[in-house]
Amino acid sequence: MKIPFLELRTQREQLRPAINAAIESVLDADWYVLGEQGRLFEEEMARFLESGGASQTHVVGVGSGTEALHLSLVALGIGPGDEVITTPLTAAATAMAIRAAGATPVFADVDSHLTLDPNAVRARVTDRTRALLPVHLYGHPADLGPLIALCRDHGLSLIEDCAQSHGTLWNNRPVGTIGDVAAFSFYPSKNLGAYGDAGAIACSDGELAERLRKLRNYGEAQRYHHVIEGFNSRLDELQAAILRAKLPHLSAWNTRRRAVAAAYQEQICHPAVSLPTEKPGMFHTYHLFVVRTPHRDALRRHLEARGVGTQIHYPVPLHRQKAFAFLDQPAGACPVAERAADEVLSLPVYPEINDAQIAYVAQCVNAFDAEAA
Ligand SMILES: *Cc1c(COP(=O)(O)O)cnc(C)c1O
């Protein structure tokens, strides 16, 4: 059996008529940037978040998840001289966006769920701190309660990185509607994926949404009238139309991801491999199914030899990356994240993986001989 880590073809085949019709409608309209499709997607994404129980939400489509974070920071007035506390166990994009805004990322360690540890955050707050930027890593919500309290106590903004958590619930509320602003990515591999780069920002503040609409489009208030300095970061019409065709399936896909995770939980049983858990009251959307073992590299080779594709999210915590060496955060600064980086392994999880494939992956993990490795 050959089980790729990620497989997009089956889903595209299932949706072929709808996707092709969506693409054709954009081509027929001959309107490619900032049009009807983008506007409708923004509305439908806002309704999706609200249907999860949120109050009124505005969604602003942008060019990518990275840009969604970058523009959010700029819109909140965060820039040079400001510090933003985030996790080192995330996609580099999270911290790159902070740098793009001119601010300084400050890495705080993660907790046993591998999301930002509020106690570590508290120790890193200074008088230059302007925002906290938790990531709902792998689809599990960050520990938002204490982070919200820290924001309130220190006058900080809360920016949610929702690139891996479309539809995730924190205490029955959709993530992306809890902080001041939230960034979504629709990179093709995400739970809701475009066929190219795409992203969106969600917020409840209508004025902030208006500022974001200007920022994404050269600071324009009306055509050729630029009221602030802006950028070019727009969700294009082709991607918006594709996302509109896919959004109605997102809830069912998340349900299936949870079923895949439940099957792994039931079938994988290995003394040296620990499985991800869901905290009570949370709704994990399993963007990734990440196991941990001290024999990670050997397990990865074992699975690869049996045709099972895996990935590592993430092998090098951001404070240990060359690109951020100038921040001078020493090895050992985030011990929980550093240890996780050596132990985490992501197994295949996507809605289209079938039960026989799941059983095969589980069987291969169970057959791993950690002693011989
Ligand atoms: C994918 C991802 C991003 C970046 O999104 P892009 O659309 O690729 O720019 C940011 N943060 C996290 C946690 C991600 O997984």
Side-chain angles (χ1 to χ4, degrees), residues 279-342:
K279 280 196 216 166
M282 306 297 151
F283 187 85
H284 195 329
T285 47
Y286 290 98
H287 172 59
L288 297 169
F289 188 90
V290 179
V291 303
R292 284 184 73 160
T293 173
H295 314 284
R296 189 262 315 279
D297 295 335
L299 176 59
R300 189 172 196 205
R301 281 192 302 273
H302 167 89
L303 293 173
E304 171 146 27
R306 283 153 188 80
V308 177
T310 60
Q311 287 286 333
I312 298 169
H313 300 91
Y314 292 89
V316 183
L318 297 187
H319 65 294
R320 306 301 300 146
Q321 296 278 359
K322 191 173 169 200
F324 296 120
F326 71 96
L327 292 171
D328 227 13
Q329 291 204 14
C334 298
V336 182
E338 286 168 45
R339 178 143 176 239
D342 291 335

Side-chain angles (χ1 to χ4, degrees), residues 64-67 69 90-91 93-94 135 161 163-164 185-187 190 197-198 314:
S64 70
T66 310
E67 280 298 289
L69 288 167
T90 178
T94 308
V135 178
D161 183 336
Q164 303 187 358
S185 165
F186 308 114
Y187 182 77
K190 310 292 188 183
D197 277 312
Y314 292 89

Side-chain angles (χ1 to χ4, degrees), residues 8 16 58 64-65 96 140 145 194 243 272 280 297 308 318 326 344 356:
L8 299 175
R16 179 180 280 272
H58 304 276
S64 70
M96 295 289 177
H140 191 284
L243 289 167
D297 295 335
V308 177
L318 297 187
F326 71 96
V344 289

Side-chain angles (χ1 to χ4, degrees), residues 12-352:
R12 194 173 55 75
E13 288 298 347
Q14 287 165 356
L15 297 181
R16 179 180 280 272
I19 297 284
N20 288 6
I23 292 171
E24 205 164 82
S25 77
V26 173
L27 298 181
D28 283 341
D30 272 312
W31 190 275
Y32 301 103
V33 176
L34 292 182
E36 180 85 350
Q37 295 298 321
R39 196 178 55 70
L40 290 170
F41 174 70
E42 288 175 345
E43 274 177 23
E44 288 158 8
M45 181 75 190
R47 296 300 89 77
F48 171 80
L49 292 172
E50 288 166 3
S51 74
S55 52
Q56 209 206 348
T57 300
H58 304 276
V59 171
V60 179
V62 294
S64 70
T66 310
E67 280 298 289
L69 288 167
H70 171 211
L71 266 53
S72 295
L73 289 156
V74 173
L76 291 168
I78 295 169
D82 297 333
E83 294 178 352
V84 178
I85 302 177
T86 193
T87 162
L89 197 68
T90 178
T94 308
M96 295 289 177
I98 298 171
R99 290 298 300 150
T104 303
V106 172
F107 298 112
D109 209 355
V110 295
D111 62 18
S112 59
H113 263 83
L114 304 186
T115 55
L116 208 44
D117 178 352
N119 291 318
V121 171
R122 189 176 298 111
R124 298 273 162 128
V125 174
T126 71
D127 52 14
R128 287 185 298 278
T129 308
R130 292 287 312 281
L132 306 186
L133 207 175
V135 178
H136 305 302
L137 193 73
Y138 310 149
H140 191 284
D143 189 7
L144 291 178
L147 296 178
I148 291 167
L150 275 171
C151 286
R152 198 178 44 223
D153 294 349
H154 297 273
L156 310 176
S157 296
L158 183 63
I159 302 166
E160 297 177 73
D161 183 336
C162 295
Q164 303 187 358
S165 55
H166 318 68
T168 294
L169 302 181
W170 174 80
N171 289 337
N172 293 317
R173 289 168 65 191
V175 300
T177 66
I178 295 157
D180 296 286
V181 62
F184 288 86
S185 165
F186 308 114
Y187 182 77
S189 65
K190 310 292 188 183
N191 285 26
L192 179 61
Y195 293 136
D197 277 312
I201 301 162
C203 63
S204 59
D205 177 344
E207 275 175 40
L208 188 64
E210 278 317 303
R211 189 147 64 246
L212 288 161
R213 287 183 203 287
K214 295 185 184 90
L215 283 173
R216 72 175 172 183
N217 193 36
Y218 324 119
E220 267 188 9
Q222 324 151 29
R223 198 103 202 239
Y224 305 128
H225 292 268
H226 306 270
V227 293
I228 52 175
E229 289 179 282
F231 306 89
N232 174 351
S233 179
R234 295 154 323 199
L235 171 62
D236 71 66
E237 289 287 281
L238 279 170
Q239 299 307 335
I242 290 163
L243 289 167
R244 288 189 66 213
K246 295 179 98 180
L247 181 60
H249 302 278
L250 177 57
S251 291
W253 287 334
N254 282 340
T255 301
R256 174 63 188 160
R257 283 176 182 272
R258 289 174 60 81
V260 174
Y264 277 149
Q265 304 276 7
E266 200 179 290
Q267 295 174 39
I268 297 177
C269 178
H270 193 295
V273 177
S274 59
L275 304 178
T277 56
E278 180 183 63
K279 280 196 216 166
M282 306 297 151
F283 187 85
H284 195 329
T285 47
Y286 290 98
H287 172 59
L288 297 169
F289 188 90
V290 179
V291 303
R292 284 184 73 160
T293 173
H295 314 284
R296 189 262 315 279
D297 295 335
L299 176 59
R300 189 172 196 205
R301 281 192 302 273
H302 167 89
L303 293 173
E304 171 146 27
R306 283 153 188 80
V308 177
T310 60
Q311 287 286 333
I312 298 169
H313 300 91
Y314 292 89
V316 183
L318 297 187
H319 65 294
R320 306 301 300 146
Q321 296 278 359
K322 191 173 169 200
F324 296 120
F326 71 96
L327 292 171
D328 227 13
Q329 291 204 14
C334 298
V336 182
E338 286 168 45
R339 178 143 176 239
D342 291 335
E343 297 188 348
V344 289
L345 187 67
S346 307
L347 303 184
V349 57
Y350 31 93
E352 298 75 23

